Amino acid sequence: MSQRTCLSVILAAGEGTRMKSAVPKVLHTIAGLPMVAHVVRAAEAAGSGDLALVIGHGADEMRKATQKLAPKAETFVQDRRLGTAHAVLAARDAISKGYDDILVMFGDTPLIDPEVLTVARRKLAEGAAIVVVGFRTSNPSGYGRLIEKGGKLIAIREEKDCTDEEKKITFCNGGLMAVAGKHALQLLDQVGNDNAKGEYYLTDIVEIAGGQGFDAVAAEAGFENVLGINNRAELAAAEGIWQTRRRHEAMLSGVTLIAPETVFFS
């Protein structure tokens, strides 16, 4: 993987109104570090040499924070929120530089394991044009389903559009994607907004790619990796998961924690 160039496009333009805070959502902290910084660290650990941060709400504050957290990152402003594909295309200038791999990540998924990103990049190296990170759950209600056929991913179907049979699928869309750089802009530019919300959905590129003979595949990850934070209760839950992970790692490394639940890392 060290021979392949990689750009991570981190979407961080959301207003985060459910946080009920003047602070941009992705700047709320877990273990003393802004959520988006956890995402940046994961991207870098997975070999992403360059970063493009798509911002919107609180742009000035986000720029200042980015200079401290990821001084080499480029920032791009999404002036209007017209969907995830529209957000990714805000970073067109960065994408057009010609990377081997494009990782599309979200600034509010701070628990992503770098190994998940590495696996996605590896699948691109093996010939896939798109890799979608998914998770399995016994209660898939509300999630988009990953529709596979013959080992390939042929569509991502929102629940409201699923047939009764498709609703039984427990493999769900986690949102994160890896896209072959040579195809990225070509696929993104074909995404339309002929849907109820009039938005440009990143998920549409799976079917677009299939129609052009490109392979899309899924990569499975644990639900925690794609857990998005939307309110303070979820923020606290993510903090708990992060702390549990670090306590476990510490103990496996030989650290004695008499009462692990009383120890907090930062």
Side-chain angles (χ1 to χ4, degrees):
M1 299 306 298
S2 60
Q3 303 301 314
R4 296 176 65 87
T5 58
C6 181
L7 169 73
S8 288
V9 179
I10 300 175
L11 306 185
E15 294 182 21
T17 53
R18 284 180 280 176
M19 297 296 287
K20 301 189 186 306
S21 171
V23 177
K25 178 171 71 168
V26 299
L27 295 184
H28 285 264
T29 62
I30 289 177
L33 195 67
M35 282 194 278
V36 69
H38 286 275
V39 179
V40 167
R41 287 187 173 189
E44 291 175 339
S48 183
D50 292 304
L51 300 166
L53 200 64
V54 178
I55 60 177
H57 176 68
D60 290 339
E61 192 172 353
M62 285 294 300
R63 283 196 186 93
K64 291 177 183 177
T66 301
Q67 289 172 0
K68 294 180 181 179
L69 303 170
K72 295 181 180 179
E74 288 188 88
T75 56
F76 300 89
V77 177
Q78 183 189 20
D79 293 321
R80 295 182 297 158
R81 297 183 63 192
L82 297 178
T84 44
H86 180 263
V88 175
L89 280 171
R92 178 187 293 273
D93 288 348
I95 297 170
S96 65
K97 292 178 182 178
Y99 295 89
D100 294 314
D101 305 335
I102 307 291
L103 291 174
V104 179
M105 307 170 68
F106 296 86
D108 63 355
T109 57
L111 300 176
I112 181 67
D113 186 335
E115 180 58 25
V116 172
L117 304 175
T118 300
V119 168
R121 290 191 62 202
R122 192 175 299 129
K123 288 181 180 293
L124 289 182
E126 292 169 353
I130 298 172
V131 183
V132 176
V133 175
F135 64 94
R136 296 191 187 276
T137 175
S138 58
N139 182 21
S141 179
Y143 296 110
R145 309 302 204 276
L146 298 185
I147 313 296
E148 294 180 295
K149 185 177 181 180
K152 306 297 183 185
L153 182 66
I154 60 172
I156 302 175
R157 195 96 70 223
E158 292 304 314
E159 186 174 56
K160 59 179 171 40
D161 298 321
C162 286
T163 64
D164 289 340
E165 197 62 28
E166 288 170 343
K167 287 179 180 178
K168 297 177 183 177
I169 294 172
T170 58
F171 197 18
C172 300
N173 178 30
L176 284 76
M177 276 193 195
V179 184
K182 61 184 177 182
H183 302 310
L185 288 178
Q186 173 193 350
L187 295 173
L188 287 163
D189 281 334
Q190 292 182 68
V191 175
N193 66 340
D194 185 16
N195 53 64
K197 289 188 175 181
E199 294 187 354
Y200 299 86
Y201 295 127
L202 180 63
T203 50
D204 287 353
I205 68 172
V206 170
E207 290 188 73
I208 292 171
Q212 297 185 12
F214 300 139
D215 286 340
V217 297
E220 186 174 344
F223 176 66
E224 291 175 358
N225 288 279
V226 297
L227 181 64
I229 310 304
N230 295 301
N231 55 52
R232 292 176 190 265
E234 292 173 351
L235 183 70
E239 175 81 35
I241 293 168
W242 192 94
Q243 294 294 342
T244 298
R245 284 180 176 179
R246 296 303 172 271
R247 292 166 188 152
H248 185 70
E249 289 172 2
M251 289 185 285
L252 291 182
S253 297
V255 179
T256 298
L257 301 181
I258 300 300
E261 70 280 2
T262 68
V263 178
F264 291 87
F265 293 95
S266 183

